[in-house]
Amino acid sequence: MPAPLPRSILPRSILFVCGMNAVRSPMAELLARQLLLPATTFVASAGVRGGERDPFVDAVLAEDGLSLGERHPRTLDDLEDDYFDLIVTLSPEAHHTALELTRSLAVDVEYWPMPDPTDVGGTREQILAAYREVRERLKARIGRRFLARQVKNRAD
């Protein structure tokens, strides 16, 4: 796995935001924490509205040996600290809200549109496949954005 970007390039704090902080943003928070260790970046997540913990999130994270532990969904209003260097929004509603909240702040907002796997129906396996797709998309996007690519110099 590539190393995190140098501390001077990594944001000091990142907030992932989605609609209810039940699926996409808690997954992104946990994956970013895992991928960015031992970087000194503070990572959190929140939702625009309140939500309930989603057991499918727990299932697909467990496949990667990860767990949300006792963490429960929280809203932007629940955050103790409301200043972040970077806010990553994962749904249109979250993006609109973040832009409104940061209109007069010096904070970067990036929109990473992610599908909502709760919209998928069918068998348990089909639903889990939709959640896995979001997990893998988040891993790839976090890797592209926050991990340094090691380029080997080859003497020919």
Side-chain angles (χ1 to χ4, degrees):
M1 173 175 14
L5 293 169
R7 287 177 49 193
S8 61
I9 298 174
L10 272 176
R12 288 184 310 258
S13 57
I14 304 167
L15 175 66
F16 291 97
V17 183
C18 67
M20 295 188 291
N21 193 226
V23 179
R24 294 166 284 189
S25 59
M27 257 199 245
E29 175 186 358
L30 191 60
L31 293 168
R33 284 176 191 238
Q34 178 200 33
L35 292 171
L36 294 177
L37 284 175
T40 57
T41 299
F42 176 77
V43 181
S45 68
V48 174
R49 296 170 276 109
E52 298 295 322
R53 187 149 169 176
D54 187 316
F56 289 111
V57 171
D58 293 319
V60 298
L61 289 174
E63 292 173 352
D64 276 7
L66 300 171
S67 171
L68 291 172
E70 296 301 315
R71 187 195 179 290
H72 291 281
R74 60 182 168 241
T75 66
L76 290 166
D77 292 335
D78 295 332
L79 294 175
E80 292 177 22
D81 187 1
D82 61 357
Y83 178 80
F84 291 86
D85 294 317
L86 174 63
I87 298 175
V88 176
T89 60
L90 304 168
S91 69
E93 177 186 24
H95 190 66
H96 175 75
T97 300
L99 291 177
E100 287 296 315
L101 290 174
T102 61
R103 198 178 329 184
S104 62
L105 301 174
V107 60
D108 291 328
V109 177
E110 293 180 10
Y111 180 41
W112 299 0
M114 289 288 150
D116 183 354
T118 64
D119 291 339
V120 173
T123 67
R124 176 175 171 78
E125 192 53 41
Q126 290 169 322
I127 294 168
L128 282 170
Y131 280 73
R132 287 181 190 114
E133 178 186 343
V134 170
R135 179 194 65 203
E136 296 306 311
R137 283 178 149 193
L138 286 167
K139 273 197 251 183
R141 188 69 186 254
I142 291 165
R144 282 193 310 271
R145 175 63 171 85
F146 301 116
L147 299 179
R149 299 290 173 225
Q150 311 262 328
V151 179
K152 293 184 179 178
N153 291 329
R154 294 171 55 172
D156 294 342

